[in-house]
């Protein structure tokens, strides 16, 4: 077996209970969920009643044949048409009702998972912490499988239990007693066909569990590898330009081939396990077709039962076996369901870990205090230490304060933690310690180097994160003209992949147009002009100062000329003693202020405002 056998896949116990705690709330709070569930069970019960009536028809039909009773035969054919029609109608609506329950339940669970994932930057923190792989696949595919198969299993188990109760009674009453003589002692076994069915099903279920048990872990492993391969393909598609420009197709093929090799290895391991199970289930199924007839044949040959009775016994035995063999027949799907549920549960657990760490975890985190409306707005960080998710420190014990309306430029070498500090300002980077005071969220706007351009219309990209109808046509056109994108005015309501249609420079200018429309009191720019030439950069920065003269501006940037648009500079600089934080106005020196920080190697250094 390949690497799958060595993988330590942690399968939690009580998966059913854990899944119901995660998803079972739908049947308590989902709109119309109880009625849908009740309707599905009612249709399932009706179908079972029809099957019971079919069992009686089976007896009467073959008795009519045996007795050569033409009138009885014709009546049974009329009855068959009625039963068959009823069964067809019930089956159609039962399937529709089941699919409706599956869809509504999946909608409810997907919305819940999206709420958990897309709240308070949990999606970003989860990715940075490396707590859970492929969350998109878990929400889209695993949620679908978990819900669809859960409904299938619930209706299947209900059907099997009711069928078992009904047909055990029928089988007990028609099979009679079996008289045996063992060592000179007469033994009578009442309802012997029932005991034969129970023993037969118990042997089959036990063997199936023993042979098929490894399939749960193997399904989990295969699903994970399929998700990795799918992610690699999507990443290659999204990065196609960079791959083509650098001529990296050979390396990409090698990487994708390796990912698919992992998929193939996982599938081979699963195939081997399924092959073993197939040997068992095939032999078991073949024996089931003749077993009841062989066991009941002595009673038929002795004249104790008629041909109709023999057929009825065979039909009832088959129904009992079908009920008892539900586990045998569905074990591969149970294994698939279990692996999907485990992935969903581990995803939810990862989100819970992130949530507890941020809110009330044992390890220290950065405390972000958002000022209330009416209070004096500021950005202030006191004794802030910024770390990575693995605990290594990137910025240590720094303190500073920026007042409303100030314009501050943050500079420093790559890797000194400038962008990470901005993420802490935004509240999406919890790792570290200390306290950050921020203005209200609705008063701020963060502009990363690569702006996020959502799917949909250009108007929607301009208004993001507000709804497209919040931006009038006049305001949108004016904003585009101000940033030099007037050639896009006629395409405001056109749906495109705007992140691919627009160059990075155009995307950055679109972000400035978005800024003009939203008019925040606090603007945070992280290399927001990096893709612009110096002339366009100066034009965008002048535009901000002209249109939003009272807004505070905090920028990260290396480009020459940015200093002219800021009142002071916060400089993170490496040195032989570690990082140095200096705060300077352009062209003159401020009075020194001391700020102590601690570097990742625990060497104490001093940072001053020069």
């Amino acid at each position: 077996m390949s690497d799958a056998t060595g993988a330590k896949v942690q399968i939690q116990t009580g998966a059913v209970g854990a899944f119901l705690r995660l998803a079972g709330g739908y049947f308590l709070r989902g709109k119309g969920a109880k009625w849908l569930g009740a309707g599905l069970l009612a249709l399932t019960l009706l179908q079972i009643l029809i099957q019971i009536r079919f069992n009686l028809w089976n007896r009467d039909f073959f008795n009519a044949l045996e007795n050569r009773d033409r009138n009885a035969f014709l009546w049974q054919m009329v009855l068959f048409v009625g039963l068959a029609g009823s069964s067809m109608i019930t089956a159609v609506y039962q399937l529709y009702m089941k699919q409706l329950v599956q869809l509504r339940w999946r909608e409810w669970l997907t919305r819940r998972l999206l709420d958990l994932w897309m709240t308070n930057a949990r999606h970003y923190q989860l990715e940075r912490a490396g707590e859970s792989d492929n969350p998109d696949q878990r929400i889209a595919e695993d949620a679908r499988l978990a819900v669809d198969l859960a409904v299938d299993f619930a209706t299947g188990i209900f059907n099997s239990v009711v069928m078992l109760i009904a047909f055990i009674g029928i089988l007990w009453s028609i099979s009679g007693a079996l008289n045996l003589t063992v060592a000179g002692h007469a033994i009578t076994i009442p309802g012997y066909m029932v005991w034969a069915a129970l023993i037969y099903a118990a042997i089959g279920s036990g063997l199936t569990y023993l042979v098929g048990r490894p399939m749960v872990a193997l399904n989990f492993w295969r699903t994970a590898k399929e998700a990795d391969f799918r992610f690699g393909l999507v990443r290659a598609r999204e990065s196609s330009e960079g791959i083509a420009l650098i001529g990296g197709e050979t390396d990409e093929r090698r990487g994708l081939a390796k990912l698919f090799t992992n998929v193939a290895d996982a599938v081979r391991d699963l195939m081997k396990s399924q092959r073993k199970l197939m040997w068992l289930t095939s032999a078991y199924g073949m024996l089931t077709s003749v077993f009841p007839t062989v066991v009941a044949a002595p009673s038929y040959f002795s004249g104790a039962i008629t041909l109709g009775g023999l057929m009825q016994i065979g039909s009832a035995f088959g129904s009992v076996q079908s009920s008892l063999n539900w586990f045998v027949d569905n074990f591969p799907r149970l294994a698939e369901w279990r692996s999907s549920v485990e992935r969903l549960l581990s995803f939810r657990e990862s989100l819970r870990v992130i949530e507890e760490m941020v809110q009330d975890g044992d390890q220290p985190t950065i405390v972000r205090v958002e000022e209330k409306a009416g209070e004096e707005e500021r950005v202030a960080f006191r004794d802030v230490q910024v770390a990575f998710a693995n605990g290594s420190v990137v910025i240590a014990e720094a303190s500073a304060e920026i007042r409303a309306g100030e314009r501050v430029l943050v500079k420093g070498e790559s890797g000194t933690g400038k962008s990470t500090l901005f993420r802490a300002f935004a509240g999406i980077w919890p790792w570290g310690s200390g306290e950050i005071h921020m203005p209200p969220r609705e008063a701020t706007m963060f502009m990363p180097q690569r702006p996020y351009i959502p799917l949909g219309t250009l108007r929607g990209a301009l208004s993001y994160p507000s709804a497209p109808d919040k931006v009038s046509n006049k305001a949108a056109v004016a904003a585009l003209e101000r940033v030099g994108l007037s050639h896009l005015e006629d395409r405001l309501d056109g749906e495109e992949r705007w992140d691919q249609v627009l160059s990075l420079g155009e995307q950055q200018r679109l972000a400035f147009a978005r800024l003009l429309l939203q008019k925040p009191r606090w603007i945070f720019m992280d290399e927001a002009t990096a893709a612009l030439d110096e002339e366009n950069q100066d034009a965008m920065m002048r535009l901000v100062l002209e249109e939003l003269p009272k807004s505070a501006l905090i920028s990260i940037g290396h480009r020459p000329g940015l200093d002219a648009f800021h009142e002071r500079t916060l400089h993170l600089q490496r040195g032989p003693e570690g990082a140095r934080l200096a705060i300077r106005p352009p062209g003159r020196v401020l009075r020194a202020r001391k700020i102590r920080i601690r570097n990742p190697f625990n060497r104490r250094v001093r940072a001053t405002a020069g």
Side-chain angles (χ1 to χ4, degrees), residues 366 381 383-388 392-399 410 415-422 424 431-433 570 572 579 581 596-600:
I366 298 173
F381 47 101
D383 300 325
V384 168
Q385 184 183 78
V386 182
F388 291 120
S392 60
V393 177
V394 61
I395 297 178
E397 291 187 18
S399 301
V410 181
T416 52
K418 305 181 299 300
S419 296
T420 311
L421 182 62
F422 263 42
W431 298 284
S433 61
L570 191 154
L572 288 167
L581 175 64
R596 290 197 313 169
I597 64 176
R598 186 179 297 116
N599 71 1

Side-chain angles (χ1 to χ4, degrees), residues 492-513:
L492 270 171
D493 294 311
E495 291 198 13
E496 303 273 359
R497 279 294 306 269
W498 292 106
D499 57 331
Q500 296 181 359
V501 172
L502 303 177
S503 67
L504 182 55
E506 288 176 319
Q507 292 179 43
Q508 290 189 340
R509 280 187 282 160
L510 185 69
F512 277 92

Side-chain angles (χ1 to χ4, degrees), residues 3-56:
D3 293 343
T5 56
K8 296 182 178 179
V9 183
Q10 298 296 326
I11 305 298
Q12 299 178 2
T13 58
V16 175
F19 174 70
L20 289 178
R21 286 192 293 274
L22 173 65
Y26 166 70
F27 292 99
L28 297 176
R29 299 183 292 274
K31 185 178 180 180
K34 293 179 181 178
W35 290 108
L36 284 175
L40 177 58
L41 292 180
L43 287 170
T44 303
L45 187 59
L46 179 59
Q47 187 71 294
I48 293 171
L49 293 175
I50 294 173
Q51 294 303 313
I52 293 173
R53 186 62 187 87
F54 256 121
N55 179 262
L56 298 175

